[in-house]
Each structure stands twice: as structure tokens, then as C-alpha cells.
Amino acid sequence: MLELILEQRYYMISIILFAIGFVTLFLHPNLIKKIIGLNLMDTSIFLFLAAMGYVGGGQAPIIEEGSSWTMYINPVPGGLVLTGIVVAVSTTALFLSLTHRLYRKYHSLNLDVILMLAKKGQEDT
Amino acid sequence: MKTTQNNNSLFRRILQWASESEKESADAPEDPERQEFQEYLEYIDAHDYIEFGAYRYMRYQQRKELGLDEPTFHHHIEPSIPQKKQNVKKSHHKQGLLRKQLGWYRIASVFITCVIILILCLVVMELPKFGDLNAPALNEVAQRYLQQGREETGAVNAITGMILEYRAFDTFGESVVLFAAAISTLLLLRTPNQPLKQRKAGDEILTMVSKYLLPMIILFGCYVVLYGHISPGGGFSGGAILGAALILASLVLGAGEVERVLTSKRVTYITVFSLLTYAAMKSYSFYTGANHVGWAIPKGEAGHLFSGGFLLPLNLCVGLIVACTMYTFYTLFIPTEEE
């Protein structure tokens, strides 16, 4: 059992990272910290994909002429991670700008406070 | 007192200030700000999760209702919520059912996370071993990219050949996603015709070091973009380096130095031009059959700078898009004069 866990340690670490991000997303009322949690989850997925693409004894897929290496890692997860990073950057920027707008309106980053004030505003109008 | 436990340094300073003034002015007239602060402390004692800014906002509304002194509120933004004086405590307790009772929400979320971890761990045990040669992910697609990519695309770097030749349409979509994010951020945050806040140029040592470092960072970024099809790198990573160099220059050289050359309009023009060039080149490639039939551009010898057909200009376009978008994201979060 322990041997299996050690063998799959990259997957395990990515799951732990994912869980940390998930808990942060749930438990922190601060919106910036929620975004950090989401980014942690993104990073864990990238680690998982990169680990999936590894081939034992493989080299980075730079195919030089006349090199003695014949084993290369799988290039497909590399492309997937590239796409994921770009999407993560885009969503983070969008979330941060939305948070900025919320802060300008309610002067707080706390989600509970924002919801409270928004509900109050709805009741009054 | 969740808020006071993980307080920042500013909050600690305010606390110190409050305790000091208590010692000094035992019989002095009551300081209204300090009184407010003490009220705030009592308030956060009674309620979890409340911030100073939100508290100030509520106090401001209350004072305005009572017609007291002109509020000294930091932000010159019209309060958008019409409010009456009311018991905040009451509405606080109207929150969700889970959160009301002894933090069931926290327990439930930790429990759900534990369950998810358990399920994922069980799945991972069933996955093929790390680095397994016979993993199903290493199928004929990956093998073809590795074995024939060099001849078919003229790229030494198999990943660049894959994302810019075989899967070029997806990469175009990726660039469009980046562009859409930049545009929507622009729409959300732009405050038109507002001068940037005058910032002093940074520390002397930092400025000197950065001035010598900046050309090298830009050179390295250009290298990573241009040699993306030969060595590790490519448009995305090189563009990120170039964008970081632009952000560093904007931080170090003081207010508006970079903004004067790279206005937001020009940055948008560059991005749109790169996207259109990318689309045009790839349209040509698809128009000619997408399998190199009637290919007008010679592929050249793999391993040289000018090789691989359209790979070099495509990398250049992607690099420009990424660099400009990173820089746009940064400029939108610079404080303007009003804030």
C-alpha cells in the first residue's frame, strides 16, 4: 500500500493541492483568497497532467538529429497544460476585475458582508 | 474574533495607537475616531467576518441618516445602496441555515472535501503507474507526433510543432480566449480619460539594477519566442517573459513612462493585428488543404532559425498577443487619480 502511494506520489501531491484549494474556496470569506484557492486547484490539475505525460527514462520532446536518445515523454499533455495555463490566467484576471468592481461598490472583500449589504439594498428598493 | 486573529500590520498599528492613546489621555476629551474604533472592536467581537472598511461604510450610512457631521469617507464614490438606519445584528442572523448553527457549514465542507480526497485517492491507485511505458495515454497519436513531427512540420520542438501545426486551430481559440478576457477586463475596469496616479520612481538601487537587467530580460524573451520551434519555449512562454519585462519597466521607471509609448490603444491594435495575422496565415494553410499540398513556403532545414514554414511568424504572433495581454491586465489594476 505504502509502496503504491510512493510510486504514485505526483498524483497524490496533486490531489492534496486540489483539496487545499477546494477547502480554501469553501472556507475563506475573503474573495481574493477564494481566487487564490481556485488558482491552487488549477495548478494541481497541471501537475496531474504533466505527471500523466511522463514516460520512464524519457527526455523532453526536442528531437535533435543524431542524438542517442530514443525515449521521449508524451507531448500531448504538454499542449494541454499550455491551454490550461492560458485559460487560468484569463479567468483569474476576470475574477480579479469583478472583485475590484464589487469592492468599489461595497467597500469590502468579504463575501458575507457583500451578500448582506446586497440583500439589504434589495429589501430597501 | 476571526478577523483580529489574522490581522495585517496596519490593523496591528491601529490597535497599538488605540492602546497608547488610552494611557495618555485619561482625562482628555474623547477622541471620536478612537470611540468609533472601540465600537468597531465591540462589533467584531459580536460578529464574525466583518472588515473595517465595511464597518466604516455602515457607520457612514448611519451618520448620514442622523444628519451628523460630514462623513470623512475615503472614497469619493456615490453610495449606491439606499439604506435606512436599522439593526445590523438582526439581519446578520438571517443568514443561511448551515452557517447559523455552530459552524455546520465548515464541518460539512471539510467532510465533503475529505470524501472527495478519498475517492480521488482510490482512483489514483487504479491509474497506470507513474512513467509506465504501456500507459493508454501513450497511444498512436503521441507516437506519430514524436516520430513524424520533425519531417512533417519542420519543428525540432515536438510540442511547438503539435500546437502550431497539427492543432493550430485550438491554439487560435486559446489566443481568442486570452483576447476576450483582456477585452472584458477592459470593459469592467476602464475609467476613461483619467490620468494615472503620480508615482515616484522606485528605490535607487532597484532602479539601477533593473535598468541593466531589463534589456537582458527583453532579449531573453525575444530569444524564447524566436527559437520556439528549435529549443524549449515558444510563443506563450516567451510572451509571458516579455509581458513581465514590460510590467517591471512600468514599475521601475515611474509613472507613465511605458504608458507614454505603449498606450492602451496601441496595445489593443497590436493584439488585434497579431490575431488577424494568425488567422490569415492559418486560413491559408487550411485553404491549401491543411496537409502541405501546394505549400508555397519552403519548410527549410529542421533546426535552423528560418525553418518550419509558418512556425516562426505564428510563434511571433502568439508571443505578441500574450505579452500585450499580460501588460493590459497590469495597467488596468494601476490606481488612477480618483481612487
Side-chain angles (χ1 to χ4, degrees):
Chain A
M1 183 68 185
L2 196 68
E3 216 168 277
L4 199 61
I5 289 175
L6 269 177
E7 222 163 79
Q8 311 279 58
R9 59 191 177 279
Y10 290 98
Y11 304 143
M12 286 294 172
I13 288 167
S14 84
I15 288 172
I16 291 167
L17 264 179
F18 186 85
I20 292 171
F22 204 61
V23 167
T24 315
L25 204 63
F26 263 135
L27 291 186
H28 268 288
N30 190 321
L31 280 173
I32 299 283
K33 284 178 184 168
K34 275 185 199 294
I35 295 170
I36 291 172
L38 207 68
N39 264 313
L40 263 177
M41 284 163 78
D42 286 339
T43 314
S44 77
I45 298 296
F46 302 153
L47 177 63
F48 182 77
L49 282 177
M52 282 298 273
Y54 183 72
V55 173
Q59 207 194 13
I62 314 286
I63 300 150
E64 306 261 19
E65 193 119 39
S67 71
S68 54
W69 284 94
T70 46
M71 291 280 284
Y72 295 102
I73 63 157
N74 193 348
V76 178
L80 287 178
V81 169
L82 206 63
T83 312
I85 288 171
V86 171
V87 174
V89 168
S90 311
T91 49
T92 306
L94 203 61
F95 285 146
L96 281 176
S97 55
L98 285 171
T99 309
H100 191 263
R101 282 293 287 265
L102 273 178
Y103 185 79
R104 266 201 249 169
K105 194 169 177 187
Y106 296 111
H107 305 288
S108 172
L109 287 174
N110 194 314
L111 189 63
D112 296 343
V113 173
I114 289 170
L115 284 177
M116 202 171 75
L117 289 174
K119 207 181 269 177
K120 240 187 257 169
Q122 245 176 14
E123 279 169 12
D124 288 348
T125 47
Chain B
M1 298 239 313
K2 302 282 182 311
T3 333
T4 42
Q5 269 169 13
N6 44 12
N7 45 13
N8 48 23
S9 59
L10 178 75
F11 193 72
R12 204 166 283 164
R13 248 184 287 150
I14 296 171
L15 236 149
Q16 206 180 357
W17 162 75
S19 60
E20 268 176 17
S21 59
E22 195 172 22
K23 278 181 221 155
E24 285 169 13
S25 58
D27 45 28
E30 197 70 44
D31 186 5
E33 261 192 63
R34 200 178 137 245
Q35 210 174 354
E36 187 185 313
F37 180 68
Q38 275 177 342
E39 276 173 41
Y40 165 64
L41 279 185
E42 283 164 24
Y43 189 83
I44 55 170
D45 244 344
H47 304 82
D48 279 352
Y49 312 126
I50 190 108
E51 282 168 11
F52 199 51
Y55 177 76
R56 285 290 294 261
Y57 187 68
M58 276 184 245
R59 288 285 304 171
Y60 160 69
Q61 293 289 349
Q62 283 172 6
R63 275 194 205 173
K64 216 175 114 188
E65 279 294 322
L66 296 171
L68 285 177
D69 51 6
E70 268 308 301
T72 52
F73 202 60
H74 292 310
H75 307 269
H76 303 285
I77 297 161
E78 283 297 307
S80 38
I81 329 155
Q83 276 199 343
K84 290 166 206 153
K85 194 183 178 201
Q86 55 189 296
N87 198 348
V88 182
K89 214 175 202 170
K90 202 173 145 197
S91 73
H92 179 83
H93 281 291
K94 265 195 286 179
Q95 275 179 16
L97 256 174
L98 271 175
R99 193 165 293 200
K100 205 167 72 178
Q101 294 172 352
L102 295 167
W104 274 113
Y105 173 76
R106 292 165 160 262
I107 295 167
S109 52
V110 169
F111 177 73
I112 289 169
T113 314
C114 285
V115 169
I116 287 175
I117 291 175
L118 216 90
I119 294 169
L120 285 177
C121 282
L122 287 176
V123 170
V124 158
M125 293 299 173
E126 298 293 317
L127 280 179
K129 301 258 183 330
F130 176 68
D132 193 2
L133 266 175
N134 302 317
L138 197 71
N139 53 10
E140 65 276 0
V141 179
Q143 268 162 20
R144 189 196 160 93
Y145 288 163
L146 283 174
Q147 280 163 4
Q148 287 166 37
R150 192 185 157 105
E151 289 128 55
E152 282 182 353
T153 65
V156 178
N157 186 346
I159 294 180
T160 305
M162 185 183 80
I163 63 169
L164 288 180
E165 198 74 46
Y166 294 113
R167 307 266 93 213
F169 202 60
D170 306 352
T171 311
F172 180 61
E174 226 172 303
S175 307
V176 171
V177 164
L178 206 56
F179 179 68
I183 290 295
S184 44
T185 315
L186 205 73
L187 283 175
L188 280 168
L189 287 186
R190 194 181 56 176
T191 40
N193 299 325
Q194 220 154 69
L196 292 174
K197 201 176 181 179
Q198 283 301 315
R199 285 172 296 154
K200 271 187 280 177
D203 186 76
E204 191 106 353
I205 297 169
L206 281 179
T207 314
M208 267 329 263
V209 170
S210 307
K211 267 180 188 165
Y212 287 112
L213 213 58
L214 265 174
M216 293 182 208
I217 298 175
I218 292 174
L219 190 70
F220 179 60
C222 290
Y223 165 76
V224 171
V225 170
L226 289 177
Y227 280 75
H229 55 303
I230 298 170
S231 57
F236 285 103
S237 32
I241 294 168
L242 281 177
L246 282 176
I247 291 170
L248 179 67
S250 165
L251 275 173
V252 161
L253 298 179
E257 283 292 329
V258 182
E259 285 83 359
R260 208 172 296 152
V261 186
L262 276 174
T263 55
S264 68
K265 211 170 203 176
R266 273 181 208 163
V267 170
T268 317
Y269 279 153
I270 292 173
T271 317
V272 172
F273 175 75
S274 306
L275 266 178
L276 288 180
T277 317
Y278 190 111
M281 278 193 280
K282 248 13 243 187
S283 312
Y284 176 74
S285 164
F286 284 123
Y287 178 71
T288 53
N291 52 1
H292 309 280
V293 180
W295 190 240
I297 304 276
K299 253 188 297 193
E301 197 180 329
H304 290 250
L305 176 57
F306 294 105
S307 66
F310 275 145
L311 282 183
L312 177 63
L314 284 179
N315 254 335
L316 214 63
C317 285
V318 173
L320 278 176
I321 294 166
V322 173
C324 289
T325 313
M326 298 271 284
Y327 183 64
T328 313
F329 285 157
Y330 167 72
T331 47
L332 287 173
F333 289 101
I334 297 179
T336 45
E337 280 286 3
E338 198 184 278
E339 287 167 57

